[in-house]
Amino acid sequence: MSPLRWLSVCCFVVCGWCAGDSFHQQAQAHLEALHKTLDLLETLHQQISFRRSDLNLLCRKLIQDGQLPPETVSLQTLEPFPSLTLEERTRFSECFSGLGRLEAEQECRRLELYQAQFQAALQEGEAAARTQSMLSHKLGLAAGLAAAILLG
């Protein structure tokens, strides 16, 4: 096989590998955003159920602890993490825009519901990421081998 053919085969393999790696990075960013959301919901749940915290004071504390971005005005106007899906961003906005309208016990039950929904999304995302990250790398290698056969 000529050097040019070897070069093209290597290019196919490298491109497939890079595509798989790109997907893997996007999946990891999505999972990280889900983890951050769940951590934030857990903190809110604890603060509301145990201490019955004022939401404005809690927001300032979360900003100081680095759990929220410094430009956050209030928990009700908190923007969803950008790597969440459209459905998850909508759910995030619904959850946080409704904070502070109920009694502490009702608020805790509401937060538990959203925690369960985000936990389910996290489990689905982890399963899909495991399956597809390996699959995309294998498809890249298969494309390179197919190109080698066609060019050979």
Side-chain angles (χ1 to χ4, degrees), residues 6 12 23 27 30 39 41 48 50 54 59 64 70 81 85 87 95-96 98 101 104-105 107 111 116 142-143 150-151:
W6 277 109
F12 274 115
F23 173 79
H30 179 240
D39 290 343
L41 288 171
I48 291 172
F50 298 132
D54 175 38
C59 182
Q64 288 173 349
F81 299 106
T85 64
E87 180 183 338
C95 175
F96 285 93
R101 296 186 181 150
E105 185 178 328
E107 197 74 71
L111 287 171
L150 291 176
L151 295 175

Side-chain angles (χ1 to χ4, degrees), residues 49-115:
S49 66
F50 298 132
R51 297 186 181 94
R52 311 233 189 290
S53 295
D54 175 38
L55 291 179
N56 292 327
L57 292 174
L58 180 57
C59 182
R60 279 181 266 172
K61 180 185 180 302
L62 292 172
I63 291 171
Q64 288 173 349
D65 292 345
Q67 285 187 287
L68 293 178
E71 65 272 3
T72 304
V73 178
S74 73
L75 289 172
Q76 290 88 351
T77 61
L78 184 63
E79 290 293 319
F81 299 106
S83 56
L84 294 174
T85 64
L86 180 60
E87 180 183 338
E88 292 164 349
R89 280 186 268 156
T90 302
R91 189 178 303 142
F92 186 99
S93 296
E94 287 172 2
C95 175
F96 285 93
S97 66
L99 281 175
R101 296 186 181 150
L102 302 171
E103 294 296 319
E105 185 178 328
Q106 294 170 324
E107 197 74 71
C108 288
R109 280 193 297 244
R110 188 174 163 279
L111 287 171
E112 288 170 358
L113 171 71
Y114 282 105
Q115 282 177 303

